[in-house]
Amino acid sequence: MAAPSLLNWRRVSSFTGPVPRARHGHRAVAIRELMIIFGGGNEGIADELHVYNTVTNQWFLPAVRGDIPPGCAAHGFVCDGTRILVFGGMVEYGRYSNELYELQASRWLWKKVKPHPPSSGLPPCPRLGHSFSLYGNKCYLFGGLANESEDSNNNVPRYLNDFYELELQHGSGVVGWSIPATKGTVPSPRESHTAVIYCKKDSGSPKMYVFGGMCGSRLDDLWQLDLETMSWSKPETKGTVPLPRSLHTASVIGNKMYIFGGWVPHKGENIETSPHDCEWRCTSSFSYLNLDTTEWTTLVSDSQEDKKNSRPRPRAGHCAVAIGTRLYFWSGRDGYKKALNSQVCCKDLWYLDTEKPPAPSQVQLIKATTNSFHVKWDEVPTVEGYLLQLNTDLPYQATSSDSSAAPNMQGVRMDPHRQGSNSIVPNSINDTTHSAKTEHAAMKGTSVKNKLDLKASADSNAILHSSLATNSSNHNSCVVDMIRKTEGPHTSANIGVLSSCLDLRTVIPETSVSSTVSSAQTMVTQQTIKTESSSTNGAVVKDETSLTTFSTKSEVDETCALPATKISRVEAHAAAMPFSKETPSNPLATMKAGERQWCDVGIFKNNTALVSQFYLLPKGKQSISKIGNADVPDYSLLKKQDLIPGTGYRFRVAAINGCGIGPFSKISEFKTCIPGFPGAPSAVRISKNVEGIHLSWEPPTSPSGNILEYSAYLAIRTAQIQDNPSQLVFMRIYCGLKTSCIVTAGQLANAHIDYTSRPAIVFRISAKNEKGYGPATQVRWLQAHLNSDSPHFKCSVTTCGCGCGSGQRRPNLFQQ
């Protein structure tokens, strides 16, 4: 975690949709990128379910149905996968609840559930201010506040320290309550405390940590319950313990429990001599407890004033949600006006990155040309941008273009909420920066190992050997995850491809391969398909079925027409083949990494980049400006250099958040094309027929002359693959001028099932012109329910929508 002075709080000031009214006593959970808020009160108890999409900065009200619970405040609220459980809370002044509701977030369906009572003892009484924590298939209920009076207008408070365990059924429903027998001294009765559950990595049993709360006065004690032995204890702590408090939040990220806000005694009040503090105030203090070492660290002390509004103002009864390593805080009350007998509630949304982002995936190639690369990498959650770098063995020569052509980014602020292209962004990033999320699949690539002569290998038994390697790469590759219709014999899927100028006939050393998601002509986006009548106002919400579609003008109309309820998956991989004899050798492989200087391509707000130039950093000199806590060159002061044909470039990328620049990814290497070779075939379609499957494709968009022939290959089972699964062996199944072929059932019976990512049958298709063969489009036909003994894909249409014949539903919302 950053030092206290370096905390980089961000207030989200630009968002869309219906913003919830300010409140306190509400609760929130996260499902992937969504923050889901329920309940709370301010001028009445709120009964709406609000959702905030942290990627699109959009609030929305889902159309819930079923047994919709009444509004409540200070209730229990936990998330188990895509279902949410609500227990207890105050439903009106003086009247508390002990009812349990379940929300299936994939369908926004509420259901009232009735757990069995304990075998001995009574079920939990109605209460508010309790803790309700989830671990595994059990929820743990501790403490709270009950009303001893049957008259809701005559509130007689009773603080609780009872402890219950609620066993859940898998997916939906509950089993019942139980009252575990615990050992050791039980914490004193309390309400408005916090409880989190943490288990050390690789060792130890899960433990529940209870901190603070209210029992006539505020508390600052820490309790630990071992959930295996059911033993209570008070761990010894180091560091400065936060002030006694209630109505605070506790959130676990990694091995740290972050405590923010709450009600604390007034300054100068002697806590020991004033057990029933009648005067209190809100705080914005911020601390964490290292749960491995039980050491407290103060990040923002209670005495630190914030005159610049650079962090959330003091509050209590707010909500806090951890999404990745980022903490979000919303609303709460910041005081109590006795004269007006009313609460003062906040309506602001803040977030804080608690640590630097992890390294992204390797840079992956979408398209290579003679003087540019279109690249991408997997998205890293809750980041504000990406720093892309490259290096090469060639001597750097600045282009003749004026360096003023580079964007002057010094001191410019980026609007992360404005939609637009993924251009290089300024040196100052503010608030959230995300693009519309895309779903992708990635596959380990392969490299060509043996010399090939396709002219002499025209029969269908020609075999192409390929092996996975791990060093420098002359091999460009691309993966696209597609969804294929299973309705009728003419099922098809359009597959994105990669263009690069390479020759299949020659030998190259073993090389590593990066993989990517999109194509040279096509970017893939995720389109939500709803199978139930509900409105999510554009939220990224997936139900039982979803459809991946293209966003290009040329193909979007066709692919969007695919039905949503009868689908199976197809994955494509465009693999560029070896360079021709005319290709200059790549001395990068012989250079030491320390001899290469990394140069910035730029900072990008999304996870794709079109690279045609890079910035030259003077040797031994750095002109530094700031992005958050990150040092980044001022690009307006740097010269640029163009990419050169037939040249190898190494790429790496790092993510940026409020804590700075994270570690760089593993290195990928690609070569720019040599003019004259054809591009990869595009728009691959796979459809079933009586003979097997029908494989078709479109000619390359850049043929660079007349196409003389196409070759299609199938990865087959061999003893060589069984010994080394990463080494694929391809058999040619077609060679000719037609842009389609039949793959027979007999050929499919010999197909190798590739398990490098998801089970798939692998095809490759490449085109040849007068100069030779260009890159191949590699297609991974996903076999979601296939075992290793049978290559036959079941295509019967069933409830699950994936053709598996199982009749079971697909995984629900947010599951990959």
Side-chain angles (χ1 to χ4, degrees):
M1 184 71 195
S5 60
L6 297 179
L7 289 180
N8 204 350
W9 293 93
R10 307 291 177 89
R11 180 173 180 173
V12 182
S13 57
S14 177
F15 39 74
T16 59
V19 180
R21 74 177 191 265
R23 65 193 64 192
H24 60 94
H26 52 290
R27 300 289 187 261
V29 295
I31 301 181
R32 286 179 61 176
E33 72 273 13
L34 301 185
M35 179 171 69
I36 301 173
I37 295 170
F38 181 69
N42 183 25
E43 299 179 357
I45 294 178
D47 58 0
E48 313 97 354
L49 187 79
H50 289 267
V51 181
Y52 176 71
N53 188 315
T54 60
V55 173
T56 62
N57 298 301
Q58 179 189 35
W59 287 98
F60 67 93
L61 280 163
V64 296
R65 56 198 177 88
D67 305 324
I68 300 174
C72 57
H75 47 286
F77 201 57
V78 297
C79 180
D80 174 31
T82 59
R83 69 167 163 179
I84 296 171
L85 293 170
V86 180
F87 174 75
M90 181 172 69
V91 292
E92 62 181 50
Y93 178 78
R95 189 165 72 86
Y96 309 153
S97 168
N98 63 348
E99 293 179 339
L100 181 67
Y101 289 85
E102 174 187 274
L103 173 68
Q104 289 291 341
S106 61
R107 291 167 285 165
W108 303 120
L109 178 64
W110 283 106
K111 182 175 69 173
K112 186 175 182 179
V113 290
K114 296 182 179 179
H116 294 297
S119 57
S120 60
L122 298 174
C125 65
R127 66 189 66 202
L128 63 72
H130 47 282
S131 59
F132 196 53
S133 310
L134 173 78
Y135 188 82
N137 69 330
K138 292 179 180 177
C139 289
Y140 298 92
L141 170 68
F142 175 73
L145 180 70
N147 185 2
E148 289 285 78
S149 173
E150 296 182 1
D151 181 5
S152 60
N153 293 320
N154 183 25
N155 195 6
V156 180
R158 177 169 63 95
Y159 294 98
L160 305 171
N161 66 344
D162 49 357
F163 179 63
Y164 287 86
E165 184 179 85
L166 176 66
E167 184 178 354
L168 311 181
Q169 291 178 346
H170 179 70
S172 179
V174 297
V175 178
W177 294 105
S178 62
I179 304 176
T182 61
K183 307 170 188 174
T185 303
V186 178
S188 60
R190 65 193 64 207
E191 58 103 0
S192 297
H193 56 282
T194 55
V196 302
I197 297 177
Y198 170 74
C199 186
K200 284 186 181 180
K201 287 184 179 179
D202 306 322
S203 65
S205 59
K207 295 178 175 61
M208 183 172 80
Y209 293 87
V210 174
F211 176 72
M214 172 74 172
C215 183
S217 62
R218 272 74 194 166
L219 304 169
D220 64 353
D221 49 350
L222 177 73
W223 293 84
Q224 173 184 287
L225 175 66
D226 188 312
L227 294 179
E228 285 190 1
T229 63
M230 286 296 166
S231 300
W232 285 103
S233 61
K234 285 190 73 172
E236 291 186 9
T237 62
K238 294 171 283 186
T240 303
V241 178
L243 283 177
R245 67 193 61 213
S246 63
L247 293 171
H248 54 285
T249 54
S251 309
V252 174
I253 296 179
N255 65 343
K256 298 179 179 67
M257 177 178 74
Y258 291 91
I259 302 292
F260 176 75
W263 268 350
V264 296
H266 251 300
K267 291 179 182 178
E269 181 176 346
N270 189 325
I271 300 169
E272 295 179 359
T273 60
S274 179
H276 297 281
D277 53 296
C278 56
E279 293 293 331
W280 56 84
R281 60 186 176 85
C282 294
T283 182
S284 60
S285 59
F286 187 46
S287 303
Y288 72 79
L289 176 71
N290 185 314
L291 296 171
D292 291 335
T293 63
T294 63
E295 181 174 3
W296 287 103
T297 298
T298 301
L299 298 171
V300 178
S301 70
D302 194 67
S303 60
Q304 284 179 275
E305 293 186 8
D306 178 28
K307 296 181 180 179
K308 298 181 180 179
N309 296 320
S310 59
R311 65 174 186 263
R313 68 182 191 262
R315 67 194 62 209
H318 53 284
C319 68
V321 165
I323 297 179
T325 58
R326 177 175 288 179
L327 270 175
Y328 282 86
F329 304 91
W330 183 73
S331 200
R333 55 179 166 181
D334 68 353
Y336 179 76
K337 294 184 178 178
K338 283 188 174 182
L340 301 177
N341 193 28
S342 64
Q343 310 295 338
V344 181
C345 288
C346 316
K347 200 177 182 179
D348 48 352
L349 174 63
W350 293 77
Y351 69 81
L352 175 72
D353 290 307
T354 60
E355 55 191 64
K356 291 182 179 181
S361 65
Q362 281 182 282
V363 177
Q364 304 156 4
L365 185 65
I366 296 171
K367 178 183 179 180
T369 68
T370 56
N371 58 5
S372 71
F373 296 111
H374 190 185
V375 297
K376 79 168 300 295
W377 49 91
D378 291 346
E379 254 184 0
V380 178
T382 63
V383 300
E384 301 180 359
Y386 301 90
L387 173 63
L388 181 64
Q389 293 185 332
L390 65 73
N391 68 34
T392 182
D393 59 299
L394 292 181
Y396 296 150
Q397 294 178 349
T399 62
S400 58
S401 60
D402 194 332
S403 63
S404 63
N408 185 354
M409 292 179 275
Q410 180 71 33
V412 180
R413 297 183 72 82
M414 183 183 100
D415 181 1
H417 311 290
R418 184 180 62 190
Q419 295 180 352
S421 61
N422 184 32
S423 57
I424 296 174
V425 302
N427 286 340
S428 178
I429 295 180
N430 186 34
D431 294 336
T432 55
T433 25
H434 293 290
S435 59
K437 292 201 70 172
T438 58
E439 270 199 1
H440 304 303
M443 163 192 157
K444 292 181 181 178
T446 57
S447 63
V448 178
K449 191 176 181 181
N450 64 314
K451 188 170 183 177
L452 302 172
D453 186 351
L454 291 184
K455 290 184 179 179
S457 309
D459 66 334
S460 62
N461 293 323
I463 293 180
L464 169 67
H465 296 272
S466 61
S467 63
L468 181 69
T470 57
N471 297 316
S472 64
S473 174
N474 293 321
H475 196 145
N476 303 326
S477 61
C478 166
V479 176
V480 179
D481 183 13
M482 295 301 303
I483 296 182
R484 182 179 64 83
K485 289 195 302 181
T486 59
E487 182 179 11
H490 301 294
T491 301
S492 66
N494 291 345
I495 310 299
V497 298
L498 160 78
S499 291
S500 182
C501 303
L502 304 171
D503 184 358
L504 188 61
R505 296 172 297 177
T506 59
V507 183
I508 62 169
E510 292 189 6
T511 57
S512 69
V513 178
S514 308
S515 46
T516 189
V517 181
S518 304
S519 70
Q521 295 80 20
T522 306
M523 292 302 296
V524 179
T525 59
Q526 185 72 24
Q527 173 182 336
T528 299
I529 302 298
K530 293 175 288 183
T531 57
E532 308 226 16
S533 176
S534 64
S535 170
T536 61
N537 295 332
V540 182
V541 175
K542 293 170 290 178
D543 208 328
E544 284 76 11
T545 57
S546 61
L547 172 66
T548 301
T549 60
F550 293 110
S551 62
T552 56
K553 294 180 180 178
S554 61
E555 295 181 19
V556 67
D557 292 338
E558 176 183 353
T559 54
C560 283
L562 297 178
T565 56
K566 301 174 181 179
I567 55 177
S568 61
R569 289 183 177 255
V570 175
E571 190 173 57
H573 187 263
M577 294 302 166
F579 287 91
S580 70
K581 295 176 182 177
E582 301 174 27
T583 305
S585 62
N586 181 9
L588 274 174
T590 61
M591 292 187 64
K592 295 180 180 179
E595 297 173 2
R596 306 186 190 98
Q597 183 184 21
W598 286 100
C599 295
D600 289 1
V601 177
I603 297 171
F604 298 85
K605 62 180 180 180
N606 298 330
N607 62 326
T608 62
L610 183 60
V611 182
S612 60
Q613 296 178 320
F614 56 94
Y615 294 96
L616 300 179
L617 194 63
K619 202 167 186 179
K621 294 183 179 180
Q622 289 188 342
S623 178
I624 301 298
S625 58
K626 285 278 188 180
I627 289 187
N629 297 319
D631 290 336
V632 176
D634 178 5
Y635 297 122
S636 65
L637 304 178
L638 303 181
K639 294 182 178 180
K640 297 184 294 182
Q641 178 163 310
D642 294 328
L643 301 189
I644 300 172
T647 303
Y649 295 90
R650 291 155 52 92
F651 286 88
R652 67 181 187 179
V653 65
I656 303 170
N657 68 10
C659 290
I661 299 176
F664 279 94
S665 66
K666 293 181 180 179
I667 296 170
S668 302
E669 183 179 334
F670 314 114
K671 256 190 177 178
T672 46
C673 296
I674 297 176
F677 291 92
S682 61
V684 178
R685 292 173 170 83
I686 298 177
S687 58
K688 292 183 68 67
N689 62 19
V690 293
E691 299 177 67
I693 65 169
H694 182 256
L695 190 63
S696 64
W697 56 90
E698 296 293 332
T701 55
S702 52
S704 300
N706 296 323
I707 298 298
L708 303 180
E709 66 184 24
Y710 297 94
S711 286
Y713 299 87
L714 169 68
I716 59 171
R717 291 198 303 269
T718 66
Q720 184 179 4
I721 294 183
Q722 291 176 356
D723 295 338
N724 185 5
S726 64
Q727 182 171 326
L728 299 180
V729 176
F730 287 85
M731 176 180 71
R732 185 153 64 180
I733 54 177
Y734 171 77
C735 182
L737 270 172
K738 290 184 178 180
T739 57
S740 65
C741 68
I742 298 295
V743 186
T744 67
Q747 290 170 324
L748 289 173
N750 293 319
H752 165 67
I753 306 300
D754 178 47
Y755 287 93
T756 53
S757 54
R758 286 171 287 181
I761 294 174
V762 183
F763 299 95
R764 281 183 178 174
I765 307 161
S766 58
K768 179 183 178 183
N769 65 8
E770 293 86 348
K771 200 159 187 177
Y773 270 92
T777 299
Q778 180 163 296
V779 182
R780 302 186 74 247
W781 187 27
L782 295 186
Q783 312 288 298
H785 298 273
L786 206 62
N787 60 43
S788 58
D789 299 322
S790 170
H792 300 293
F793 188 80
K794 297 180 181 179
C795 291
S796 57
V797 177
T798 63
T799 308
C800 80
C802 63
C804 67
S806 67
Q808 296 182 4
R809 305 177 79 90
R810 292 185 64 205
N812 279 333
L813 166 71
F814 312 107
Q815 294 183 358
Q816 296 284 1

